[in-house]
Coordinates of all heavy atoms in Angstrom, one line a residue:
M21 N -57.1 -36.0 159.8 CA -58.5 -36.3 159.7 C -59.1 -35.4 158.6 O -58.9 -34.2 158.6 CB -59.2 -36.1 161.0 CG -60.6 -36.4 161.0 SD -61.3 -36.3 162.7 CE -63.0 -36.0 162.4
S22 N -59.9 -36.0 157.7 CA -60.6 -35.2 156.7 C -62.1 -35.2 156.9 O -62.6 -36.2 157.4 CB -60.2 -35.7 155.3 OG -60.7 -37.0 155.2
A23 N -62.7 -34.2 156.6 CA -64.2 -34.1 156.7 C -64.7 -33.7 155.3 O -64.1 -32.9 154.6 CB -64.5 -33.0 157.7
Y24 N -65.9 -34.2 155.0 CA -66.5 -33.9 153.8 C -67.8 -33.1 154.1 O -68.5 -33.5 155.0 CB -66.9 -35.2 153.0 CG -65.7 -35.9 152.5 CD1 -65.2 -37.0 153.3 CD2 -65.0 -35.5 151.4 CE1 -64.0 -37.7 152.8 CE2 -63.9 -36.2 150.9 CZ -63.4 -37.3 151.7 OH -62.3 -37.9 151.2
I25 N -68.0 -32.1 153.3 CA -69.3 -31.4 153.4 C -70.0 -31.6 152.1 O -69.5 -31.3 151.0 CB -69.0 -29.9 153.7 CG1 -68.2 -29.7 155.0 CG2 -70.3 -29.1 153.6 CD1 -67.8 -28.2 155.2
H26 N -71.2 -32.1 152.2 CA -72.0 -32.3 151.1 C -73.1 -31.2 151.0 O -73.9 -31.0 151.9 CB -72.7 -33.6 151.1 CG -73.6 -33.9 150.0 ND1 -73.2 -34.3 148.7 CD2 -75.0 -33.8 149.9 CE1 -74.2 -34.4 147.9 NE2 -75.3 -34.1 148.6
I27 N -73.0 -30.4 149.9 CA -74.0 -29.4 149.7 C -75.0 -29.8 148.6 O -74.6 -30.1 147.5 CB -73.4 -28.0 149.3 CG1 -72.4 -27.6 150.4 CG2 -74.4 -27.0 149.0 CD1 -71.6 -26.4 150.1
H28 N -76.2 -30.0 149.0 CA -77.2 -30.5 148.0 C -77.8 -29.3 147.2 O -78.4 -28.4 147.8 CB -78.4 -31.1 148.8 CG -79.4 -31.7 147.9 ND1 -79.2 -32.7 147.0 CD2 -80.7 -31.3 147.7 CE1 -80.3 -32.9 146.4 NE2 -81.2 -32.1 146.7
A29 N -77.5 -29.3 146.0 CA -77.9 -28.2 145.1 C -78.4 -28.8 143.8 O -77.6 -28.9 142.8 CB -76.8 -27.2 144.9
P30 N -79.6 -29.2 143.7 CA -80.1 -29.8 142.5 C -80.2 -28.8 141.4 O -80.4 -27.6 141.6 CB -81.5 -30.3 142.9 CG -81.9 -29.5 144.0 CD -80.7 -29.1 144.7
A31 N -80.0 -29.3 140.1 CA -80.1 -28.4 139.0 C -81.6 -28.0 138.7 O -82.5 -28.7 139.1 CB -79.5 -29.1 137.8
I32 N -81.7 -26.9 138.0 CA -83.1 -26.4 137.7 C -83.5 -27.0 136.3 O -82.7 -26.9 135.4 CB -83.1 -24.9 137.6 CG1 -82.8 -24.3 139.0 CG2 -84.4 -24.4 137.1 CD1 -82.5 -22.8 139.0
T33 N -84.6 -27.7 136.3 CA -85.1 -28.3 135.0 C -85.6 -27.2 134.1 O -85.2 -27.2 132.9 CB -86.1 -29.4 135.2 OG1 -87.2 -28.8 135.9 CG2 -85.6 -30.5 136.0
H34 N -86.5 -26.4 134.6 CA -87.0 -25.3 133.7 C -87.6 -24.2 134.6 O -87.9 -24.5 135.8 CB -88.0 -25.8 132.7 CG -89.2 -26.3 133.3 ND1 -89.4 -27.5 133.9 CD2 -90.5 -25.8 133.4 CE1 -90.6 -27.7 134.4 NE2 -91.3 -26.6 134.1
S35 N -87.8 -23.1 134.0 CA -88.4 -21.9 134.7 C -89.5 -21.4 133.9 O -89.4 -21.4 132.7 CB -87.3 -20.8 134.9 OG -86.1 -21.3 135.3
V36 N -90.6 -21.0 134.6 CA -91.7 -20.4 133.8 C -92.2 -19.1 134.5 O -92.1 -19.0 135.7 CB -92.9 -21.4 133.8 CG1 -92.6 -22.6 132.9 CG2 -93.3 -21.9 135.1
F37 N -92.6 -18.2 133.7 CA -93.2 -17.0 134.2 C -94.7 -17.3 134.5 O -95.4 -17.9 133.7 CB -93.1 -15.8 133.3 CG -91.8 -15.1 133.3 CD1 -90.9 -15.2 132.3 CD2 -91.4 -14.4 134.5 CE1 -89.7 -14.5 132.4 CE2 -90.2 -13.8 134.6 CZ -89.3 -13.8 133.5
T38 N -95.2 -16.8 135.6 CA -96.6 -17.0 135.9 C -97.0 -15.9 136.9 O -96.3 -15.0 137.1 CB -96.8 -18.5 136.6 OG1 -98.2 -18.7 136.8 CG2 -96.0 -18.6 137.8
A39 N -98.2 -16.1 137.4 CA -98.7 -15.2 138.5 C -99.0 -16.0 139.7 O -99.6 -17.0 139.7 CB -99.9 -14.4 138.1
E40 N -98.4 -15.6 140.9 CA -98.6 -16.3 142.1 C -99.0 -15.3 143.2 O -98.6 -14.1 143.1 CB -97.3 -17.0 142.6 CG -96.8 -18.1 141.6 CD -97.6 -19.4 141.9 OE1 -98.1 -19.6 143.0 OE2 -97.7 -20.2 140.9
C41 N -99.7 -15.7 144.2 CA -100.1 -14.9 145.3 C -98.9 -14.8 146.2 O -98.5 -15.7 146.9 CB -101.3 -15.4 146.0 SG -102.0 -14.3 147.2
C42 N -98.2 -13.6 146.2 CA -97.0 -13.4 147.0 C -97.4 -13.2 148.5 O -98.2 -12.3 148.8 CB -96.3 -12.2 146.5 SG -94.8 -11.7 147.4
P43 N -96.7 -13.9 149.4 CA -97.0 -13.7 150.8 C -96.5 -12.3 151.3 O -97.0 -11.8 152.3 CB -96.2 -14.8 151.5 CG -95.2 -15.3 150.6 CD -95.7 -14.9 149.2
D44 N -95.6 -11.6 150.7 CA -95.1 -10.3 151.1 C -96.0 -9.2 150.5 O -96.4 -8.3 151.2 CB -93.7 -10.1 150.7 CG -93.0 -9.1 151.5 OD1 -93.4 -8.8 152.6 OD2 -91.9 -8.6 151.0
C45 N -96.3 -9.3 149.2 CA -97.1 -8.3 148.5 C -98.6 -8.5 148.8 O -99.4 -7.6 148.6 CB -97.0 -8.4 147.0 SG -95.3 -8.1 146.4
Q46 N -99.0 -9.7 149.3 CA -100.4 -10.0 149.7 C -101.4 -9.9 148.5 O -102.5 -9.6 148.7 CB -100.8 -9.1 150.8 CG -100.0 -9.1 152.0 CD -100.4 -10.2 153.0 OE1 -101.6 -10.4 153.2 NE2 -99.5 -10.9 153.6
R47 N -100.9 -10.2 147.3 CA -101.8 -10.2 146.1 C -101.0 -10.9 145.0 O -99.8 -11.1 145.0 CB -102.1 -8.8 145.7 CG -101.0 -8.0 145.3 CD -101.4 -6.6 144.9 NE -100.2 -5.8 144.4 CZ -99.6 -5.0 145.2 NH1 -100.0 -4.7 146.4 NH2 -98.5 -4.3 144.7
P48 N -101.8 -11.4 144.0 CA -101.1 -12.0 142.8 C -100.2 -11.1 142.1 O -100.6 -9.9 141.8 CB -102.3 -12.5 141.9 CG -103.5 -12.5 142.8 CD -103.2 -11.4 143.8
E49 N -99.0 -11.5 141.9 CA -98.0 -10.7 141.2 C -97.2 -11.6 140.2 O -97.3 -12.8 140.3 CB -96.9 -10.2 142.2 CG -97.4 -9.2 143.2 CD -97.8 -7.8 142.6 OE1 -97.4 -7.6 141.4 OE2 -98.4 -7.0 143.3
P50 N -96.6 -11.0 139.2 CA -95.8 -11.8 138.3 C -94.7 -12.5 139.1 O -94.1 -11.9 140.0 CB -95.2 -10.7 137.3 CG -96.0 -9.5 137.5 CD -96.6 -9.6 138.9
A51 N -94.5 -13.7 138.7 CA -93.5 -14.5 139.5 C -92.9 -15.5 138.5 O -93.4 -15.8 137.4 CB -94.2 -15.3 140.6
M52 N -91.7 -16.0 138.9 CA -91.0 -17.1 138.2 C -91.0 -18.3 139.1 O -90.7 -18.2 140.3 CB -89.6 -16.7 137.9 CG -88.9 -17.8 137.1 SD -87.2 -17.4 136.7 CE -87.6 -16.3 135.3
V53 N -91.3 -19.4 138.5 CA -91.3 -20.7 139.2 C -90.2 -21.5 138.6 O -90.1 -21.7 137.4 CB -92.7 -21.4 139.1 CG1 -92.6 -22.8 139.8 CG2 -93.8 -20.6 139.6
R54 N -89.3 -22.0 139.5 CA -88.2 -22.9 139.1 C -88.4 -24.3 139.6 O -88.6 -24.4 140.8 CB -86.9 -22.3 139.6 CG -86.5 -21.0 139.1 CD -85.3 -20.5 139.8 NE -84.6 -19.5 139.1 CZ -83.5 -18.9 139.6 NH1 -83.1 -19.2 140.8 NH2 -82.9 -18.0 138.9
E55 N -88.3 -25.3 138.7 CA -88.5 -26.7 139.2 C -87.1 -27.3 139.2 O -86.3 -27.0 138.3 CB -89.5 -27.4 138.3 CG -90.8 -26.8 138.4 CD -91.9 -27.7 138.1 OE1 -91.7 -28.9 138.0 OE2 -93.1 -27.2 137.9
F56 N -86.9 -28.2 140.1 CA -85.6 -28.9 140.3 C -85.6 -30.3 139.8 O -86.6 -30.9 139.7 CB -85.2 -28.9 141.8 CG -85.0 -27.5 142.3 CD1 -86.0 -27.0 143.1 CD2 -84.0 -26.7 142.0 CE1 -85.9 -25.7 143.6 CE2 -83.8 -25.4 142.5 CZ -84.8 -24.9 143.3
T57 N -84.4 -30.8 139.4 CA -84.3 -32.1 138.8 C -84.5 -33.3 139.8 O -84.8 -34.3 139.4 CB -82.9 -32.3 138.2 OG1 -81.9 -32.0 139.2 CG2 -82.7 -31.3 137.1
D58 N -84.2 -33.0 141.1 CA -84.2 -34.2 142.0 C -85.6 -34.7 142.4 O -85.7 -35.8 142.8 CB -83.4 -33.8 143.3 CG -84.1 -32.7 144.1 OD1 -85.1 -32.1 143.6 OD2 -83.7 -32.4 145.2
G59 N -86.6 -34.0 142.2 CA -88.0 -34.5 142.5 C -88.3 -34.4 144.0 O -89.4 -34.8 144.3
Y60 N -87.4 -34.0 144.8 CA -87.6 -34.0 146.3 C -88.0 -32.6 146.7 O -88.8 -32.4 147.6 CB -86.4 -34.5 147.1 CG -86.1 -35.9 146.9 CD1 -85.1 -36.3 146.1 CD2 -86.9 -36.9 147.4 CE1 -84.8 -37.7 145.9 CE2 -86.7 -38.2 147.2 CZ -85.6 -38.6 146.5 OH -85.4 -39.9 146.2
N61 N -87.4 -31.6 146.1 CA -87.6 -30.2 146.5 C -88.8 -29.6 145.8 O -89.1 -29.9 144.6 CB -86.4 -29.3 146.2 CG -85.2 -29.7 147.0 OD1 -85.4 -30.2 148.1 ND2 -84.0 -29.5 146.5
D62 N -89.6 -28.9 146.5 CA -90.7 -28.2 145.9 C -90.2 -27.1 145.0 O -89.1 -26.6 145.2 CB -91.6 -27.5 147.0 CG -92.4 -28.6 147.8 OD1 -92.8 -29.6 147.2 OD2 -92.6 -28.4 149.0
P63 N -91.0 -26.7 144.0 CA -90.5 -25.6 143.1 C -90.3 -24.3 143.9 O -91.0 -24.0 144.9 CB -91.7 -25.4 142.2 CG -92.5 -26.7 142.2 CD -92.3 -27.2 143.6
E64 N -89.3 -23.6 143.5 CA -89.0 -22.3 144.1 C -89.8 -21.2 143.4 O -89.7 -21.2 142.1 CB -87.5 -22.0 144.0 CG -87.1 -20.6 144.6 CD -85.7 -20.2 144.3 OE1 -85.1 -20.8 143.4 OE2 -85.2 -19.3 145.0
V65 N -90.5 -20.4 144.1 CA -91.2 -19.3 143.5 C -90.6 -17.9 143.9 O -90.3 -17.7 145.0 CB -92.7 -19.3 143.9 CG1 -93.5 -18.2 143.2 CG2 -93.3 -20.7 143.7
I66 N -90.3 -17.1 142.9 CA -89.7 -15.8 143.2 C -90.7 -14.7 142.6 O -91.0 -14.7 141.4 CB -88.3 -15.6 142.5 CG1 -87.4 -16.7 142.9 CG2 -87.7 -14.3 142.8 CD1 -87.0 -17.7 141.8
C67 N -91.1 -13.8 143.5 CA -92.0 -12.7 143.1 C -91.2 -11.7 142.4 O -90.1 -11.3 142.8 CB -92.6 -12.1 144.4 SG -93.6 -10.6 144.0
L68 N -91.6 -11.3 141.2 CA -90.9 -10.3 140.4 C -91.3 -8.9 140.7 O -90.8 -8.0 140.1 CB -91.1 -10.6 138.9 CG -90.6 -12.0 138.4 CD1 -90.9 -12.2 137.0 CD2 -89.1 -12.1 138.7
C69 N -92.1 -8.7 141.7 CA -92.5 -7.4 142.2 C -91.6 -7.0 143.4 O -91.1 -5.9 143.4 CB -94.0 -7.4 142.6 SG -94.5 -5.8 143.1
C70 N -91.4 -7.9 144.3 CA -90.7 -7.6 145.5 C -89.4 -8.4 145.7 O -88.6 -8.1 146.6 CB -91.6 -7.7 146.8 SG -92.0 -9.4 147.1
G71 N -89.2 -9.5 144.9 CA -88.0 -10.3 145.1 C -88.1 -11.4 146.1 O -87.1 -12.1 146.3
E72 N -89.2 -11.4 146.8 CA -89.4 -12.5 147.8 C -89.4 -13.8 147.2 O -89.9 -14.0 146.1 CB -90.7 -12.2 148.6 CG -90.9 -13.1 149.8 CD -90.0 -12.7 150.9 OE1 -90.1 -11.6 151.5 OE2 -89.1 -13.5 151.2
S73 N -88.8 -14.9 147.8 CA -88.9 -16.2 147.3 C -89.3 -17.2 148.4 O -89.1 -17.0 149.5 CB -87.5 -16.6 146.7 OG -86.5 -16.6 147.7
W74 N -90.0 -18.2 147.9 CA -90.5 -19.2 148.8 C -90.6 -20.6 148.1 O -90.6 -20.7 146.9 CB -91.9 -18.8 149.4 CG -93.0 -18.7 148.4 CD1 -93.9 -19.6 148.1 CD2 -93.3 -17.6 147.6 NE1 -94.8 -19.2 147.1 CE2 -94.4 -17.9 146.8 CE3 -92.7 -16.3 147.5 CZ2 -95.0 -17.0 145.9 CZ3 -93.3 -15.4 146.6 CH2 -94.4 -15.8 145.8
S75 N -90.7 -21.6 149.0 CA -90.8 -23.0 148.4 C -91.5 -23.8 149.4 O -91.2 -23.8 150.6 CB -89.4 -23.5 148.2 OG -89.4 -24.8 147.8
G76 N -92.5 -24.6 149.0 CA -93.2 -25.5 149.9 C -94.0 -24.8 150.9 O -94.2 -25.3 152.0
G77 N -94.4 -23.5 150.7 CA -95.1 -22.7 151.7 C -94.3 -22.0 152.7 O -94.8 -21.3 153.6
Y78 N -92.9 -22.1 152.6 CA -92.0 -21.5 153.5 C -91.2 -20.4 152.8 O -90.7 -20.7 151.7 CB -91.1 -22.5 154.2 CG -91.8 -23.5 155.0 CD1 -92.2 -24.7 154.6 CD2 -92.2 -23.1 156.3 CE1 -92.9 -25.6 155.3 CE2 -92.9 -24.0 157.1 CZ -93.3 -25.3 156.6 OH -94.0 -26.1 157.4
L79 N -91.1 -19.2 153.4 CA -90.2 -18.2 152.9 C -88.7 -18.6 153.0 O -88.3 -19.2 154.0 CB -90.5 -16.9 153.6 CG -91.8 -16.2 153.4 CD1 -91.9 -15.0 154.3 CD2 -92.0 -15.8 151.9
W80 N -88.0 -18.2 152.0 CA -86.5 -18.4 152.0 C -85.9 -17.2 152.8 O -86.5 -16.1 152.8 CB -86.0 -18.4 150.6 CG -86.3 -19.7 149.9 CD1 -87.5 -20.3 149.8 CD2 -85.4 -20.6 149.2 NE1 -87.4 -21.5 149.1 CE2 -86.1 -21.6 148.7 CE3 -84.0 -20.5 148.9 CZ2 -85.5 -22.7 147.9 CZ3 -83.5 -21.5 148.1 CH2 -84.2 -22.6 147.7
P81 N -84.8 -17.4 153.4 CA -84.1 -16.4 154.2 C -83.8 -15.2 153.3 O -83.4 -15.3 152.1 CB -82.9 -17.0 154.7 CG -82.9 -18.4 154.4 CD -84.0 -18.7 153.4
K82 N -83.8 -14.0 153.9 CA -83.5 -12.8 153.1 C -82.1 -12.4 153.5 O -81.7 -12.5 154.7 CB -84.4 -11.7 153.5 CG -85.9 -11.9 153.3 CD -86.7 -10.8 153.9 CE -88.2 -11.0 153.7 NZ -88.7 -12.2 154.5
P83 N -81.3 -11.9 152.5 CA -80.0 -11.4 152.8 C -80.0 -10.1 153.6 O -81.0 -9.3 153.4 CB -79.3 -11.2 151.5 CG -80.4 -11.1 150.5 CD -81.6 -11.9 151.1
F84 N -79.1 -9.9 154.5 CA -79.1 -8.7 155.3 C -78.2 -7.7 154.6 O -77.0 -7.4 154.9 CB -78.5 -9.0 156.7 CG -78.7 -7.8 157.6 CD1 -79.9 -7.4 158.1 CD2 -77.5 -7.2 158.1 CE1 -80.0 -6.3 158.9 CE2 -77.6 -6.1 159.0 CZ -78.9 -5.7 159.4
E85 N -78.7 -7.1 153.5 CA -78.0 -6.1 152.7 C -79.0 -5.2 152.0 O -80.1 -5.6 151.7 CB -77.0 -6.8 151.8 CG -77.7 -7.7 150.8 CD -76.7 -8.5 150.0 OE1 -75.8 -9.1 150.6 OE2 -77.0 -8.7 148.8
R86 N -78.5 -4.0 151.7 CA -79.4 -3.1 151.0 C -79.5 -3.5 149.5 O -78.5 -4.0 148.9 CB -78.8 -1.7 151.0 CG -78.9 -1.1 152.4 CD -78.3 0.3 152.3 NE -78.4 0.9 153.7 CZ -78.6 2.2 153.9 NH1 -78.8 3.0 152.9 NH2 -78.6 2.6 155.1
G87 N -80.7 -3.2 148.9 CA -80.9 -3.4 147.5 C -81.0 -4.9 147.1 O -80.9 -5.2 145.9
W88 N -81.1 -5.8 148.0 CA -81.2 -7.2 147.6 C -82.4 -7.5 146.8 O -82.3 -8.4 145.9 CB -81.1 -8.1 148.8 CG -82.3 -8.1 149.7 CD1 -82.6 -7.3 150.8 CD2 -83.5 -9.0 149.5 NE1 -83.8 -7.6 151.3 CE2 -84.4 -8.6 150.5 CE3 -83.9 -10.0 148.6 CZ2 -85.6 -9.2 150.7 CZ3 -85.1 -10.6 148.7 CH2 -86.0 -10.2 149.8
R89 N -83.5 -6.8 147.0 CA -84.7 -7.2 146.2 C -84.5 -6.8 144.7 O -84.8 -7.7 143.8 CB -85.9 -6.4 146.7 CG -86.3 -6.8 148.1 CD -87.5 -6.0 148.6 NE -87.8 -6.4 150.0 CZ -88.7 -7.3 150.4 NH1 -89.3 -8.0 149.5 NH2 -88.9 -7.5 151.7
Q90 N -84.0 -5.7 144.4 CA -83.7 -5.3 143.0 C -82.7 -6.2 142.4 O -82.8 -6.7 141.2 CB -83.2 -3.9 142.9 CG -84.3 -2.8 143.2 CD -84.5 -2.6 144.7 OE1 -83.7 -3.0 145.5 NE2 -85.7 -2.1 145.1
R91 N -81.6 -6.6 143.1 CA -80.6 -7.5 142.6 C -81.2 -8.9 142.3 O -80.9 -9.5 141.3 CB -79.4 -7.6 143.5 CG -78.4 -6.5 143.3 CD -77.1 -6.8 144.0 NE -77.2 -6.9 145.4 CZ -77.3 -5.9 146.3 NH1 -77.2 -4.7 145.8 NH2 -77.4 -6.1 147.6
R92 N -82.0 -9.3 143.3 CA -82.6 -10.7 143.1 C -83.5 -10.8 141.9 O -83.4 -11.7 141.1 CB -83.4 -11.0 144.4 CG -84.2 -12.3 144.4 CD -83.3 -13.4 144.8 NE -84.0 -14.6 144.9 CZ -83.7 -15.8 144.4 NH1 -82.5 -15.9 143.8 NH2 -84.4 -16.8 144.6
I93 N -84.3 -9.7 141.7 CA -85.2 -9.7 140.5 C -84.3 -9.7 139.2 O -84.6 -10.4 138.3 CB -86.2 -8.5 140.6 CG1 -87.1 -8.7 141.7 CG2 -86.9 -8.3 139.3 CD1 -87.9 -7.4 142.1
A94 N -83.3 -8.9 139.2 CA -82.4 -8.8 138.0 C -81.7 -10.1 137.8 O -81.6 -10.5 136.6 CB -81.4 -7.7 138.2
Q95 N -81.3 -10.8 138.8 CA -80.6 -12.1 138.7 C -81.6 -13.1 138.1 O -81.2 -13.9 137.2 CB -80.1 -12.6 140.0 CG -78.9 -11.9 140.5 CD -78.6 -12.2 142.0 OE1 -79.3 -12.9 142.6 NE2 -77.4 -11.7 142.4
V96 N -82.8 -13.1 138.6 CA -83.8 -14.1 138.1 C -84.1 -13.9 136.6 O -84.2 -14.9 135.9 CB -85.1 -14.0 139.0 CG1 -86.2 -14.8 138.4 CG2 -84.8 -14.5 140.4
I97 N -84.3 -12.7 136.2 CA -84.6 -12.4 134.8 C -83.4 -12.7 134.0 O -83.5 -13.3 132.9 CB -85.1 -10.9 134.7 CG1 -86.4 -10.7 135.4 CG2 -85.1 -10.5 133.2 CD1 -86.9 -9.3 135.5
A98 N -82.2 -12.4 134.4 CA -81.0 -12.7 133.7 C -80.8 -14.2 133.5 O -80.4 -14.7 132.4 CB -79.7 -12.1 134.3
A99 N -81.1 -15.0 134.6 CA -81.0 -16.4 134.5 C -82.0 -17.0 133.5 O -81.7 -17.9 132.8 CB -81.1 -17.0 135.9
F100 N -83.2 -16.4 133.6 CA -84.3 -16.9 132.6 C -83.9 -16.6 131.2 O -84.0 -17.5 130.3 CB -85.6 -16.1 133.0 CG -86.7 -16.6 132.1 CD1 -87.5 -17.7 132.4 CD2 -87.1 -15.8 131.0 CE1 -88.6 -18.1 131.7 CE2 -88.2 -16.2 130.2 CZ -88.9 -17.3 130.6
N101 N -83.3 -15.4 130.9 CA -82.9 -15.1 129.6 C -81.7 -16.0 129.2 O -81.6 -16.4 128.0 CB -82.5 -13.6 129.5 CG -83.7 -12.7 129.6 OD1 -84.8 -13.2 129.4 ND2 -83.5 -11.5 129.9
A102 N -80.8 -16.2 130.1 CA -79.6 -17.1 129.7 C -80.0 -18.5 129.4 O -79.5 -19.2 128.5 CB -78.6 -17.1 130.9
E103 N -81.1 -19.0 130.2 CA -81.6 -20.3 129.9 C -82.1 -20.5 128.5 O -82.1 -21.5 127.9 CB -82.7 -20.6 131.0 CG -83.2 -22.0 131.1 CD -84.3 -22.1 132.2 OE1 -83.9 -21.8 133.3 OE2 -85.4 -22.5 131.8
R104 N -82.7 -19.4 128.0 CA -83.3 -19.4 126.7 C -82.4 -18.8 125.6 O -82.8 -18.6 124.5 CB -84.6 -18.7 126.7 CG -85.7 -19.6 127.3 CD -86.8 -18.8 127.9 NE -87.8 -19.7 128.5 CZ -87.7 -20.3 129.6 NH1 -86.6 -20.2 130.3 NH2 -88.6 -21.1 130.1
G105 N -81.1 -18.5 126.0 CA -80.2 -17.9 125.0 C -80.5 -16.5 124.6 O -80.1 -16.0 123.5
I106 N -81.3 -15.8 125.4 CA -81.6 -14.4 125.1 C -80.6 -13.5 125.8 O -80.3 -13.7 127.0 CB -83.0 -14.0 125.6 CG1 -84.0 -15.0 125.0 CG2 -83.4 -12.6 125.3 CD1 -85.4 -15.0 125.6
M107 N -80.0 -12.6 125.1 CA -79.1 -11.6 125.8 C -79.6 -10.3 125.9 O -80.5 -9.8 125.3 CB -77.8 -11.6 125.0 CG -77.1 -12.9 125.0 SD -76.8 -13.7 126.6 CE -75.5 -12.8 127.3
Ligands
ZN727 ZN1 -94.0 -10.0 146.2

């Protein structure tokens, strides 16, 4: 018997830097907004001050590990630079 697992992971159409009111920082902070190709998912917003991310008004789960906020911010900035061919 075989089983199939379908993981829905739409591609990101584009990312923009903006300022969003972060639910963790409780004030407007620099943030990156990522929009997806499928049109069903709300844009993902990542705070570049604390690394918190949310979508559609709901916070995304946080990893249970040390230093995840700094790594998350670095990953987001690296992905933004790679998208634009900046090294
Ligand atoms: Zn924040």
Side-chain angles (χ1 to χ4, degrees):
M21 181 175 155
S22 63
Y24 293 97
I25 297 173
H26 177 79
I27 299 174
H28 181 67
I32 296 169
T33 56
H34 68 281
S35 314
V36 292
F37 278 113
T38 183
E40 294 282 335
C41 191
C42 174
D44 203 21
C45 298
Q46 302 272 321
R47 61 179 183 261
E49 292 290 351
M52 178 178 286
V53 178
R54 294 171 160 177
E55 298 207 11
F56 299 104
T57 56
D58 65 351
Y60 294 106
N61 292 333
D62 288 325
E64 177 189 18
V65 183
I66 303 115
C67 176
L68 296 177
C69 182
C70 69
E72 189 70 70
S73 59
W74 63 95
S75 179
Y78 296 96
L79 291 174
W80 286 49
K82 300 172 184 69
F84 188 67
E85 59 189 44
R86 289 181 182 216
W88 70 268
R89 292 180 187 270
Q90 290 79 19
R91 274 194 299 280
R92 177 83 172 134
I93 293 167
Q95 288 169 351
V96 166
I97 292 172
F100 182 83
N101 289 340
E103 188 179 303
R104 282 154 179 79
I106 303 167
M107 297 308 286

